[in-house]
Amino acid sequence: STPLYSSAASDVYKRQLQDVEQLADEVHNIKNISASIASGSFHTDGMIVVPCSMKTLSGIANSYAENLIIRAADVMLKERRRLVIVPRESPLHTGHCELMLKASKIGAIICPPAPAFYTDPKTVDDIINHSVARVLDLFDIESDSLKRWQGNV
């Protein structure tokens, strides 16, 4: 895995990001547009942008690769690989919705972290784990946290 995060994320989540970096095979600087993941020749099954700010979404939707996150996302789109965007804003205005539509039209999957109350969550962790499992499911990665809808029982 290759985590990549914005400077805003670095400021807010310094401690948690250290934990993520320990799990990573490689960590890139967001300013390094010539990193391996900025090329279509870098083999990967796809990319998840979570959480995705509206600024980053705007860059992705408009192919404005000002940093490595947006460039790597652009590569996913041009190579027709899976790109999952988990938007973090709420509420949304029309401009946000138009950016999500534009990104979807060029191949991204928009996956808001919407709680699935049919799973009868008991804790906030249950809700978070289900949202994460739904994103992983888009890459055919199984998770015990994903309770699938069984229909009316």
Side-chain angles (χ1 to χ4, degrees):
S1 65
T2 307
L4 179 64
Y5 37 84
S6 68
S7 56
S10 295
D11 292 343
V12 174
Y13 302 108
K14 279 190 192 305
R15 189 165 161 222
Q16 291 91 339
L17 292 176
Q18 290 171 352
D19 294 340
V20 171
E21 286 181 3
Q22 290 177 359
L23 299 170
D25 297 322
E26 189 171 354
V27 177
H28 297 283
N29 184 305
I30 191 168
K31 296 175 185 173
N32 185 6
I33 297 294
S34 64
S36 58
I37 61 173
S39 171
S41 67
F42 181 80
H43 179 72
T44 183
D45 293 330
M47 178 178 176
I48 302 165
V49 183
V50 56
C52 185
S53 70
M54 290 300 120
K55 179 181 178 181
T56 298
L57 175 62
S58 180
I60 293 168
N62 292 295
S63 302
Y64 184 70
E66 72 170 349
N67 63 45
L68 187 54
I69 294 172
I70 300 168
R71 172 60 189 162
D74 195 52
V75 168
M76 294 303 108
L77 295 170
K78 81 179 186 71
E79 298 292 330
R80 304 292 190 256
R81 295 183 187 143
R82 191 158 300 225
L83 173 64
V84 176
I85 295 173
V86 183
R88 73 172 188 196
E89 305 297 332
S90 180
L92 302 167
H93 62 62
T94 303
H96 297 151
C97 295
E98 288 173 347
L99 287 170
M100 286 188 279
L101 175 62
K102 188 172 184 180
S104 178
K105 283 183 173 182
I106 60 175
I109 297 170
I110 310 299
C111 186
F117 292 109
Y118 67 83
T119 63
D120 194 27
K122 304 290 187 240
T123 66
V124 172
D125 273 350
D126 291 343
I127 294 169
I128 292 168
N129 289 337
H130 184 80
S131 293
V132 170
R134 289 286 293 136
V135 170
L136 294 176
D137 198 45
L138 293 169
F139 287 86
D140 296 324
I141 299 171
E142 288 294 323
S143 171
D144 294 336
S145 300
L146 183 59
K147 295 181 183 175
R148 298 187 185 279
W149 177 249
Q150 301 298 315
N152 294 334
V153 248

